[in-house]
């Protein structure tokens, strides 16, 4: 009777308010519980529709003492295919991703410096970027009282 | 701040590796920097909270399967941002209206943007109207110690501690007159006069660069303002007019 209504025994015990089956998706084996008037409250339950699980569900309608331990395991896995541990488990690719990204970043920085080095041989440097010019500019700006608050004309500037 | 960060940060002209504002040279810029510091504190608090939430959600993999609604939570995450925005908006609007306040300027200078130089006009003095153009000094003609792409042949001279008004317009395309250390930025539009009131509280040389894309040499039309005492300014006006 309960299965006919499309309500799992687990739902009956935990959430008595959600008892309406809205639709059954035959392709993804998902059952949707809840009302479309409150879409945020919809619950999605996975049910394995493979023949062995379906037959075991039928068998579980009878006395449970007739189910062997392996059948009970299979039935449980059919109803709950993913555990929290499965969902939270690392896919095993994190280290590869981090290592690969780091290597690519380092290679990119290296390519940048190599190209800069090559280009600098052919480009004439600006005459204002010499240490002498920068020292003269610093002296000139100090005379003009530039940055008197925190900068080069201030008393604590080093 | 200078003890925490590199000492080359603050300048009346832009410097390489600069992270913060230039030193303020007018009361308005001082207020702008104070507002910036005040708002930055609030922003850092919000950023820290968001980064913490982000890290927690990516590492803990928590999910609430039975969360339907929570009116208290929704009220909190609406009210708190509204209160924060109000605390930011109040001093910001005060400063905004303060910058627009005109304080009976004692001197008016007209500034016109051309492609690609600035022209200035002092027309307050009877029978002694003065106008000149200010071109960028090419790198080849710079003297030792001059600032590249910032020096000009004719500087704008203004008296310090004097309420000034600048009327900004353009002759051809859009330009923008900017003086970061004075907190001044105004678009120069052809056919329109924009007014900016300012006051320099200390002497010095203030550099700015055009801030509205205006063609090929948009990067090569700086403006230099020299703020000096009244005696020097009077001598300048007397000799130039």
């Amino acid at each position: 009777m309960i299965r006919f209504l499309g309500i799992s025994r687990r739902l009956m015990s935990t959430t008595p308010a959600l008892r309406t089956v809205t639709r059954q998706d035959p392709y993804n084996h998902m059952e949707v519980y809840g009302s479309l008037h409150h879409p945020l409250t919809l619950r999605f339950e996975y049910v394995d529709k493979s023949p062995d699980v379906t037959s075991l569900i039928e068998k579980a309608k009878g006395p449970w003492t007739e189910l062997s331990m392996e059948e009970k395991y299979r039935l449980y896995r059919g109803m709950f295919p993913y555990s929290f541990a499965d969902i939270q488990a690392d896919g095993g690719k994190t280290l590869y991703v981090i290592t690969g990204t780091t290597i690519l970043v380092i290679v990119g920085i290296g390519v940048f410096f190599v190209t800069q080095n090559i280009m600098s041989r052919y480009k004439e440097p600006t005459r204002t970027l010499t240490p002498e010019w920068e020292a003269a500019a610093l002296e000139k700006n100090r005379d003009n009282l530039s940055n008197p608050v925190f900068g080069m004309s201030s008393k604590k500037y080093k | 701040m200078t003890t925490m960060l590199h000492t080359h940060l603050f300048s009346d002209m832009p410097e390489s590796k600069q992270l913060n504002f230039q030193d303020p040279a007018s009361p308005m810029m001082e207020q702008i920097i104070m507002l910036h510091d005040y708002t930055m504190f609030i922003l850092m608090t919000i950023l820290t909270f968001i980064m913490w939430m982000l890290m927690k959600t990516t590492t803990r993999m928590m999910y609430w399967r039975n969360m339907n609604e929570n009116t208290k939570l929704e009220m909190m995450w609406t009210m708190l941002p509204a209160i924060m925005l109000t605390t930011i908006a109040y001093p910001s609007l005060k400063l905004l209206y303060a910058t627009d306040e005109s304080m009976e300027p004692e001197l008016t200078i007209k500034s016109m943007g051309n492609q690609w130089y600035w022209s200035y006009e002092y027309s307050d003095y009877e029978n002694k109207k003065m106008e000149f153009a200010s071109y960028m000094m090419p790198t080849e003609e710079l003297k030792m110690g001059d600032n590249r792409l910032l020096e000009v042949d004719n500087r704008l001279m203004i008296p310090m501690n004097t309420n000034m008004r600048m009327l900004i317009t353009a002759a051809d395309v859009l330009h923008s007159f900017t003086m970061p250390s004075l907190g001044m930025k105004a678009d120069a539009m052809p056919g329109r006069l924009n007014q900016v009131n300012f006051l320099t509280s200390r002497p010095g040389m203030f550099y700015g660069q055009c801030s509205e894309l205006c063609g090929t040499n948009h990067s090569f039309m700086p403006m230099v303002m020299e703020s000096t005492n009244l005696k020097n300014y009077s001598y300048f006006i007397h000799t130039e007019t």
Side-chain angles (χ1 to χ4, degrees):
Chain A
M1 179 64 179
I2 295 171
R3 198 65 195 164
F4 173 74
L5 288 175
I7 304 165
S8 70
R9 293 184 192 87
R10 192 173 56 82
L11 266 184
M12 279 288 291
S13 62
T14 56
T15 54
L18 297 174
R19 293 185 182 181
T20 310
V21 177
T22 54
R23 67 185 178 96
Q24 282 190 349
D25 188 345
Y27 302 104
N28 294 329
H29 308 292
M30 294 286 285
E31 288 182 357
V32 183
Y33 297 93
S35 169
L36 286 178
H37 294 293
H38 303 283
L40 290 178
T41 63
L42 288 175
R43 299 274 301 277
F44 296 86
E45 297 292 336
Y46 175 90
V47 176
D48 195 346
K49 298 281 179 128
S50 54
D52 55 341
V53 172
T54 313
S55 64
L56 282 173
I57 289 173
E58 289 297 322
K59 191 176 176 185
K61 289 177 183 174
W64 289 348
T65 51
E66 293 178 9
L67 290 169
S68 67
M69 196 53 72
E70 289 75 21
E71 285 174 339
K72 285 177 187 173
Y73 287 154
R74 185 67 190 95
L75 196 59
Y76 179 80
R77 272 295 152 204
M79 302 295 283
F80 305 107
Y82 299 109
S83 64
F84 281 111
D86 291 334
I87 294 166
Q88 291 175 352
D90 188 6
K93 299 266 190 315
T94 308
L95 193 59
Y96 289 111
V97 169
I98 292 173
T99 311
T101 311
T102 309
I103 289 170
L104 278 175
V105 167
I106 292 170
V107 166
I109 293 171
V111 166
F112 169 75
F113 278 113
V114 166
T115 50
Q116 284 287 309
N117 196 13
I118 294 170
M119 282 175 63
S120 65
R121 288 179 206 164
Y122 300 103
K123 220 163 66 163
E124 207 175 298
T126 314
R127 66 186 187 119
T128 58
L129 292 177
T130 58
E132 297 82 20
W133 195 287
E134 287 185 16
L138 183 66
E139 197 55 45
K140 182 199 166 201
N141 289 321
R142 272 189 175 149
D143 289 340
N144 289 333
L145 297 173
S146 294
N147 328 324
V149 182
F150 291 111
M152 55 180 76
S153 304
S154 60
K155 289 178 188 171
K156 291 186 181 178
Y157 181 76
K158 289 179 187 174
Chain B
M1 265 306 246
T2 47
T3 55
M4 287 165 58
L5 301 170
H6 198 276
T7 52
H8 280 286
L9 285 177
F10 300 92
S11 176
D12 281 339
M13 58 175 193
E15 261 193 59
S16 66
K17 306 187 194 76
Q18 183 171 354
L19 288 177
N20 216 324
F21 293 110
Q22 296 182 12
D23 276 355
S26 72
M28 210 51 67
M29 188 57 190
E30 290 168 16
Q31 293 297 318
I32 290 171
I33 291 174
M34 280 173 61
L35 176 67
H36 166 266
D37 293 344
Y38 168 76
T39 312
M40 185 62 75
F41 170 73
I42 298 174
L43 290 183
M44 284 297 128
T45 315
I46 297 169
L47 184 70
T48 309
F49 173 67
I50 291 173
M51 292 298 289
W52 178 80
M53 289 283 283
L54 212 61
M55 276 166 39
K56 279 293 180 187
T57 50
T58 50
T59 55
R60 284 288 298 272
M61 295 286 286
M62 290 192 300
Y63 42 88
W64 293 324
R65 299 179 72 198
N66 293 325
M67 181 165 179
N68 302 326
E69 56 181 322
N70 195 328
T71 310
K72 272 186 199 167
L73 179 66
E74 291 191 8
M75 275 184 66
M76 288 300 290
W77 72 33
T78 308
M79 297 285 294
L80 277 179
I83 293 168
M84 275 185 189
L85 286 174
T86 310
T87 56
I88 294 172
Y90 177 66
S92 175
L93 283 170
K94 273 180 75 172
L95 185 58
L96 183 68
Y97 281 94
T99 53
D100 278 342
E101 199 176 320
S102 65
M103 290 163 289
E104 295 197 5
E106 288 147 25
L107 181 65
T108 301
I109 298 175
K110 287 176 200 138
S111 164
M112 184 177 282
N114 305 276
Q115 278 180 317
W116 286 279
Y117 62 98
W118 291 93
S119 55
Y120 305 110
E121 188 182 311
Y122 292 73
S123 46
D124 277 355
Y125 307 104
E126 289 181 5
N127 304 325
K128 287 187 180 180
K129 183 175 161 185
M130 181 174 66
E131 50 188 326
F132 57 91
S134 175
Y135 286 82
M136 186 191 85
M137 292 282 279
T139 308
E140 300 79 31
E141 295 177 24
L142 289 176
K143 295 186 197 112
M144 180 61 97
D146 283 349
N147 302 307
R148 189 175 72 99
L149 305 185
L150 286 173
E151 298 291 347
V152 296
D153 52 359
N154 298 317
R155 292 194 286 259
L156 195 58
M157 289 280 283
I158 54 168
M160 55 181 268
N161 286 330
T162 309
N163 286 323
M164 308 275 301
R165 175 170 65 186
M166 181 167 282
L167 298 173
I168 301 167
T169 185
D172 34 42
V173 296
L174 291 179
H175 300 272
S176 183
F177 192 94
T178 309
M179 203 61 71
S181 47
L182 301 176
M184 187 202 308
K185 183 178 285 192
D187 279 357
M189 289 176 244
R192 181 186 170 92
L193 276 177
N194 278 337
Q195 174 183 281
V196 176
N197 292 300
F198 65 98
L199 176 141
T200 51
S201 45
R202 57 179 170 89
M205 299 267 283
F206 309 117
Y207 295 88
Q209 291 173 294
C210 178
S211 304
E212 184 69 42
L213 190 59
C214 52
T216 318
N217 287 350
H218 155 68
S219 314
F220 309 116
M221 50 181 294
M223 59 285 285
V224 181
M225 206 179 271
E226 184 174 346
S227 169
T228 183
N229 56 35
L230 198 58
K231 185 179 170 186
N232 289 344
Y233 174 75
S234 305
Y235 179 75
F236 162 76
I237 291 293
H238 180 73
T239 53
E240 294 294 330
T241 54

